[in-house]
Amino acid sequence: LLTDGQTTDGASLTEAADIARKDGVPLFTIGLGDETPPRDLALSDLQVDDVVFVGDAVRFVARLSARGLNAAGSGGQATLRLSRRPPGSQGEWEPLETIQVPLPPEGENQRVEVVHRPIEVGSTTFLLEVEPQPRELQTENNRIERIVEVRDQKLRVLYVEGEPRWEFRYLKTYLERDNTIDLKTVLQLSDDRYAEQDRSALAVFPPGDDSEGGLFRYDVVILGDVDPSLLNAQQMEDIAEFVTKKGGGLLLIAGELFNPLAFKGKPLEVLLPIRLDDARNPSSVGIPIEPFQPQLTPEGLASPLFRLGEDEASSREIWSKLPPSMWYFEAPRKQPAAVVLAEHPTQLGVDGKLPILIAQYAGSGKVLFSAIDDTWRWRLRTGDRYFGRYWVQTLRYLASSRRAGQREAELIADRRRYVRGQTTQVRLRFLNPSLAQDLTSVKVELRRDNQPPRTVDLRAVAGPAGAPVFEASLTELAEGRYSLAYLPPPVLAGDPPTATFQVDPPAGEFVRLELNREELTAASRLTQGHFFRWDETSKIVADFTDAVSAETNSAAAVVVDDEEGTGGEIEPAASSNARARTLQELLPVPQQVPLDSDPPIPLWNSWPLFLLFLMLIAVEWVVRKRLRMT
C-alpha cells in the first residue's frame, strides 16, 4: 500500500488493518510524503468579559498553537492583532492593538493576551487574529470573533469609615476626582456639619432597599476600620444581603482598632475570607513589624487587580518597586474557598505565608479583604498613577458580578466551526470558584439540529490561577449545528450558560497533509507486515515489481494513494530497515487466497432449460399413453 496514511473520509486505517489482520493479510506500507506537518497557527479558547465599561482595561486572553514551524527554541515571532467592528456596522474591521508574541513550541499552545480600553458604547464585535505565516494553507483558525457589550455607567461606591485615617483621606480624594466613580461616604466619627460641608458625605448609613439612595443601588461597599457597635444588626444584615443576594462587592480594609476582630460573632463575620479564631493585630501585642513588600501569588499575577502596566511583565516589575508597607493584620487561616492574591514575603501562618490580600465569593457577590491600610504610600514619586489604577481595577473587579447580570459560569467550545473528524473541545468555567469546590465533573446537554439531546460529562482539570475548569473532547460528530446547555447541579443564578458551534463536511485533501507515519507503522505491526519510508524509491518499487512478476499464479496488486498536496521534498529515511532488508525479502511466499465466488449463473430463467422441461413433459406423456398408464 503506497499512501500518506491520511484518511480523508470513511473508516480509519486502523479499522481497515484490524479487518486485514482477521483475514490473515499482512500490510506492507510505503509512506509517501513529508512527516513535517503543514504550517499552521491557530487561536482558540478566547476569554473576555461579556460586559465591560468605557475606559476599562479589557483583557482578550486566548491560546495560540503552532504546527510545522519548528517553533521550539527558534525565536520566531507571530503578529497578534485586535480589531473591532463598530456597533451596528457591517463594514471593514478597524485595527485597535497589534503586538508581537513568541511562537509556541511545536504542537503546544501558550497563553497570549491583548489589552484594550474601549471608548465607544454599544454591542461591539471584536476580532482577535494572528497573522498567517508564509505558506500557511489553512487560515480559518487564525481568527476568533466575540461580541462584547460596552457600557458607560458610573460605578456607585459607598465608603464607610470609622475615623479619617490616611488611607481614607487619599482614597476618598482620588475617587471623588475619578469621573467613572460615583462616591458616597459615611464617616462614623464626624460632627453634624460634616455631611453638609462635604459633597460626597452622607449623614447616616443608607437604608437596605432599592430606593434611589438605598444600599442596594450601590455596586461596591468599602468598610474601613468601622466600629460595628455604631452599626445596628439590621444594617449589618443588609450588607450581608447586598453581597450574597444582590451580587454586590464588599471590600474590607483592616484597621488597628476594629476591622476585622470586632466583627466576630456579628452578621458580617460570615462574609470574611479569613478565620478570626487565631487572628490578631501584631502591634497590639508588641510584635515589631519590619517594612515589607507584599508578594503576589500565581493567582494574583493572573488577576486584573494588579495589572499596573501594559502587560504581565511590566506589571510585575512595577509591583516589586512599590514603596513597602509598614503594618499588616495577621490572619493565619483562610476560608476553604478563599483565594490568596498577595502574601507576606517571610511571615508564616497555618496555611503557609500570611495572606495580605485575599478574595472569595459570598453567594452572588465578591469579597476582598486587605490586611494592609497604607496603599497611599504607593503615591511616592508617582502620584495617583499606580495607586489610582489599582483601586479602580479593584472596585471594577468587585462590581463585575453585579454589572454582568450575576453570571456565574461560562460555557464555550474552542472554535465556532469544525470539519467532521476534528475534535471539539468543550470547556465550562465557573466565574464563582466556590461553586466548583469538591466537584469532579459537571454535565451539559448536547443537541444537534432537531435530533434528541444527549448528556456529556465534563471532567475537572486545573485551570488558570489554580481554579478548576471542566472539559470534554467530543469526537466523531456528524455535520450540523450543535448547541450546548449547562445542566445543574449546582444550580446557578440566572439563565444557564449556553454555547453553539457548527460541524461542516470534510474540506478535502488539504485538511491533513503530512505523512501519518504513526498510523501506518501501527497498521503494519498489527497485521504482521512492515512499514517503509519512501527512500531509494526506485529500488523499493523495482523489488516489489519483481516479487509480483515472479509469482504468475498469485493474485497481487499495487495500490497507490498519493493524496493531492502530500508531496514536497522527501528527505532520506533515518530507518535502516529498508536498506538492510528489501521489500522483496520481507514479503511472505505468495499463496492462493480464495476470493469471493463468481456471480451465479441463472439457470431457470433461460430458453434451453425451458425446452428441456417441455421435452421431459412430452416424453412422460408419450410413455404414459403407450403403457396405458393413468
Side-chain angles (χ1 to χ4, degrees):
L1 181 68
L2 285 84
T3 176
D4 64 358
Q6 299 290 4
T7 303
T8 304
D9 199 5
S12 66
L13 181 58
T14 302
E15 295 174 295
D18 188 58
I19 297 174
R21 178 186 62 82
K22 294 176 181 177
D23 290 341
V25 178
L27 295 181
F28 289 83
T29 56
I30 301 176
L32 302 178
D34 190 352
E35 291 185 65
T36 303
R39 294 186 166 210
D40 185 42
L41 283 176
L43 285 173
S44 62
D45 192 18
L46 174 62
Q47 297 182 15
V48 61
D49 291 336
D50 294 333
V51 179
V52 300
F53 300 92
V54 171
D56 278 0
V58 182
R59 303 163 65 202
F60 294 80
V61 181
R63 294 283 173 180
L64 175 66
S65 60
R67 297 175 68 245
L69 296 170
N70 298 317
S74 65
Q77 299 282 315
T79 302
L80 202 62
R81 182 181 301 107
L82 179 69
S83 306
R84 74 154 192 162
R85 184 175 285 156
S89 172
Q90 298 296 325
E92 296 293 328
W93 291 100
E94 175 187 337
L96 298 174
E97 312 286 346
T98 301
I99 63 171
Q100 297 292 321
V101 296
L103 289 174
E106 180 73 22
E108 299 182 11
N109 62 65
Q110 69 181 18
R111 179 177 176 274
V112 293
E113 175 184 310
V114 179
V115 180
H116 172 65
R117 296 181 183 272
I119 59 174
E120 188 172 346
V121 176
S123 182
T124 304
T125 303
F126 289 93
L127 170 67
L128 183 65
E129 59 182 338
V130 59
E131 188 174 292
Q133 295 288 306
R135 292 179 289 134
E136 184 178 355
L137 297 179
Q138 183 178 354
T139 59
E140 293 83 359
N141 56 3
N142 289 41
R143 47 197 287 144
I144 306 178
E145 295 182 18
R146 187 65 56 86
I147 298 177
V148 177
E149 181 72 23
V150 182
R151 299 177 182 175
D152 186 12
Q153 297 175 349
K154 284 191 174 184
L155 206 63
R156 303 192 65 179
V157 178
L158 176 64
Y159 190 174
V160 185
E161 185 62 84
E163 59 183 30
R165 55 178 174 165
W166 290 110
E167 190 82 327
F168 171 79
R169 295 178 183 180
Y170 282 105
L171 181 55
K172 172 182 177 296
T173 301
Y174 176 79
L175 295 180
E176 285 176 336
R177 294 199 309 265
D178 192 300
N179 57 13
T180 66
I181 304 293
D182 182 7
L183 176 69
K184 296 298 179 183
T185 62
V186 175
L187 190 60
Q188 290 180 322
L189 300 181
S190 63
D191 56 36
D192 296 336
R193 293 179 298 176
Y194 173 71
E196 300 175 359
Q197 299 172 347
D198 193 301
R199 61 185 177 89
S200 67
L202 299 176
V204 295
F205 191 86
D209 55 37
D210 290 305
S211 63
E212 179 58 31
L215 176 65
F216 298 159
R217 294 296 295 271
Y218 289 92
D219 298 306
V220 179
V221 172
I222 304 175
L223 292 182
D225 202 6
V226 174
D227 184 355
S229 65
L230 300 180
L231 293 174
N232 60 46
Q234 183 59 51
Q235 289 172 331
M236 287 188 280
E237 290 175 1
D238 290 342
I239 296 175
E241 182 180 354
F242 164 77
V243 177
T244 59
K245 296 182 180 180
K246 301 298 182 179
L250 176 64
L251 171 62
L252 299 113
I253 305 175
E256 298 193 47
L257 299 177
F258 304 105
N259 188 354
L261 287 177
F263 296 154
K264 190 170 185 179
K266 304 291 193 301
L268 294 178
E269 183 181 5
V270 298
L271 302 178
L272 292 172
I274 58 172
R275 296 183 178 181
L276 299 179
D277 299 336
D278 47 3
R280 64 180 181 177
N281 176 8
S283 300
S284 64
V285 294
I287 298 178
I289 298 178
E290 298 293 332
F292 69 97
Q293 175 63 50
Q295 188 177 69
L296 295 180
T297 64
E299 292 79 10
L301 290 171
S303 173
L305 276 68
F306 310 102
R307 188 52 57 87
L308 304 180
E310 295 303 318
D311 51 40
E312 287 189 9
S314 62
S315 297
R316 190 180 299 113
E317 183 179 0
I318 292 170
W319 178 265
S320 65
K321 294 180 179 179
L322 291 176
S325 294
M326 301 298 180
W327 176 84
Y328 67 91
F329 180 82
E330 184 177 326
R333 295 179 184 270
K334 68 180 185 70
Q335 297 291 354
V339 177
V340 178
L341 304 177
E343 58 194 8
H344 198 287
T346 57
Q347 297 297 319
L348 299 177
V350 177
D351 296 328
K353 293 181 178 179
L354 290 175
I356 299 300
L357 294 167
I358 184 168
Q360 75 171 5
Y361 276 82
S364 299
K366 297 176 182 177
V367 179
L368 177 67
F369 176 75
S370 174
I372 57 176
D373 67 345
D374 53 1
T375 61
W376 56 270
R377 298 181 187 275
W378 299 352
R379 302 180 70 257
L380 180 65
R381 292 190 296 272
T382 60
D384 292 329
R385 182 177 182 182
Y386 303 130
F387 172 81
R389 182 175 295 182
Y390 165 78
W391 279 108
V392 170
Q393 290 174 171
T394 297
L395 294 176
R396 294 209 179 279
Y397 162 78
L398 290 171
S400 60
S401 295
R402 183 175 177 88
R403 288 300 181 96
Q406 301 181 18
R407 188 170 59 100
E408 294 184 324
E410 177 184 64
L411 178 63
I412 60 173
D414 61 341
R415 299 182 188 175
R416 299 297 185 185
R417 305 187 76 91
Y418 299 86
V419 174
R420 190 183 72 224
Q422 290 182 329
T423 299
T424 303
Q425 194 74 20
V426 178
R427 180 178 292 104
L428 183 126
R429 179 173 64 98
F430 286 101
L431 304 181
N432 181 348
S434 63
L435 295 173
Q437 292 295 317
D438 303 324
L439 290 179
T440 58
S441 67
V442 295
K443 297 182 183 298
V444 296
E445 180 184 80
L446 176 67
R447 186 186 294 271
R448 176 172 71 94
D449 298 328
N450 296 321
Q451 301 296 319
R454 66 184 177 98
T455 301
V456 177
D457 286 329
L458 308 185
R459 298 293 175 180
V461 298
V469 296
F470 298 83
E471 295 183 346
S473 298
L474 307 180
T475 58
E476 301 179 1
L477 295 179
E479 296 95 336
R481 183 171 180 81
Y482 288 81
S483 62
L484 292 161
Y486 171 78
L487 297 176
V491 178
L492 304 179
D495 296 331
T498 59
T500 60
F501 61 90
Q502 178 80 24
V503 176
D504 298 320
E509 305 289 351
F510 289 96
V511 177
R512 292 181 294 270
L513 306 181
E514 68 272 18
L515 170 64
N516 190 354
R517 178 180 185 135
E518 181 179 354
E519 194 166 7
L520 287 173
T521 304
S524 300
R525 185 181 299 114
L526 180 65
T527 59
Q528 305 299 313
H530 194 81
F531 169 77
F532 290 88
R533 266 296 304 267
W534 186 261
D535 65 330
E536 302 178 355
T537 308
S538 59
K539 185 177 189 304
I540 292 180
V541 173
D543 290 340
F544 188 85
T545 305
D546 292 342
V548 173
S549 60
E551 300 292 341
T552 56
N553 294 327
S554 64
V558 177
V559 181
V560 178
D561 173 23
D562 185 6
E563 294 190 356
E564 181 182 354
T566 60
E569 296 183 4
I570 303 174
E571 301 178 358
S575 172
S576 62
N577 292 336
R579 287 188 285 271
R581 301 180 66 189
T582 65
L583 179 61
Q584 179 179 357
E585 294 170 335
L586 288 171
L587 283 174
V589 177
Q591 298 178 356
Q592 290 187 351
V593 179
L595 304 177
D596 293 336
S597 58
D598 294 333
I601 300 174
L603 298 177
W604 175 256
N605 191 17
S606 63
W607 282 107
L609 184 62
F610 178 67
L611 293 175
L612 177 62
F613 176 76
L614 290 179
M615 291 176 59
L616 291 175
I617 293 297
V619 170
E620 181 188 20
W621 182 80
V622 171
V623 172
R624 284 178 177 274
K625 286 293 185 181
R626 289 188 175 184
L627 298 180
R628 299 180 180 276
M629 298 176 63
T630 59

